[in-house]
């Protein structure tokens, strides 16, 4: 019976030494913790690589290298937000995403993504789903960045409709 994949937590090259030391003292078991400041050979097949808040282009290049080096590697980016395919290839997708949407300087809704579900616009007041989008509908061409215009319009319309109903009372 095998031990299963090793979990590798990959800390951003901008992570402080104190955070690195604190995390290393708390994590136990079949988990390795690396700082991307260090030059290591991380290429182990069947491993899971969790990149925590990648910040530099080198952090993203390492994630891309590990993801493309073996079909058996699993790469997860936590709090990673890349704007172009130089950082993250177009074949990648966001697993989780939460963006507050504002109207008149107030949070009026949220754009949410929990892969593999579609992108969802949620009304902050009624908690109702205002609309959904596929990757093809919402992502800016050749990027992993959602275009917020359509989701913003849905939130704006919901706020405006509530205001009209309030005035009619």
């Amino acid at each position: 019976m095998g031990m299963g994949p090793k979990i590798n937590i990959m800390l951003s090259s901008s992570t402080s030494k104190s955070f690195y030391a604190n995390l290393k003292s708390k994590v136990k078991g079949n988990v390795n913790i690396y700082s991307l400041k260090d030059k290591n050979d991380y290429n182990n097949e069947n491993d899971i690589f969790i990149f925590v808040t990648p910040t530099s282009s080198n952090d993203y290049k390492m994630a891309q290298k590990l993801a493309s080096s073996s079909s058996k590697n699993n790469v997860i980016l936590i709090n990673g937000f890349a704007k172009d395919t130089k950082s993250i290839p177009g074949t990648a997708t966001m697993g989780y995403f939460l963006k507050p949407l504002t109207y008149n300087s107030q949070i009026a809704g949220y754009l949410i993504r929990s892969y593999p579900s579609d992108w969802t616009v949620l009304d902050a007041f009624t908690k109702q789903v205002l609309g959904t989008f596929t990757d093809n509908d919402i992502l800016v061409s050749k990027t992993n960045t959602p275009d917020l215009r359509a989701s913003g319009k849905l939130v704006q319309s919901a706020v405006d409709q509530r205001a009209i109903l309030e005035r009619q009372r």
Side-chain angles (χ1 to χ4, degrees):
M1 202 175 211
M3 295 273 302
K6 257 202 179 358
I7 297 172
N8 301 285
I9 298 176
M10 315 299 281
L11 298 177
S12 166
S13 56
S14 64
T15 299
S16 69
K17 289 180 183 178
S18 62
F19 180 80
Y20 175 79
N22 189 21
L23 185 63
K24 199 157 180 107
S25 71
K26 293 181 179 181
V27 173
K28 307 287 185 234
N30 197 26
V31 177
N32 295 318
I33 300 173
Y34 297 106
S35 170
L36 290 167
K37 290 179 197 171
D38 304 330
K39 304 293 182 205
N40 289 314
D41 182 21
Y42 311 107
N43 196 10
N44 303 317
E45 283 198 9
N46 294 323
D47 280 3
I48 297 170
F49 295 92
I50 302 172
F51 284 73
V52 179
T53 315
T55 54
S56 73
S57 62
N58 286 335
D59 293 353
Y60 285 104
K61 285 177 187 173
M62 179 57 71
Q64 186 172 2
K65 177 183 172 192
L66 290 169
S68 61
S69 66
S70 170
S71 63
K72 296 179 182 178
N73 281 340
N74 295 290
V75 175
I76 301 166
L77 303 178
I78 305 291
N79 292 338
F81 196 69
K83 297 214 179 262
D84 58 46
T85 55
K86 292 177 186 169
S87 300
I88 300 293
T91 56
T93 190
M94 288 191 199
Y96 297 95
F97 183 87
L98 174 64
K99 171 76 173 167
L101 300 170
T102 59
Y103 180 59
N104 290 336
S105 302
Q106 295 182 359
I107 294 176
Y110 298 94
L111 178 61
I112 301 168
R113 171 74 182 282
S114 178
Y115 186 83
S117 297
D118 287 338
W119 298 78
T120 302
V121 179
L122 186 70
D123 187 302
F125 301 99
T126 65
K127 311 300 186 240
Q128 291 181 329
V129 172
L130 301 175
T132 60
F133 301 93
T134 66
D135 281 351
N136 290 337
D137 294 333
I138 199 166
L139 295 179
V140 176
S141 179
K142 299 181 183 177
T143 74
N144 294 297
T145 304
D147 182 341
L148 302 177
R149 291 177 291 189
S151 54
K153 286 179 183 174
L154 288 173
V155 167
Q156 178 182 354
S157 177
V159 170
D160 290 345
Q161 290 293 12
R162 271 195 303 281
I164 290 168
L165 289 173
E166 280 296 314
R167 279 188 230 129
Q168 291 175 347
R169 286 184 189 193

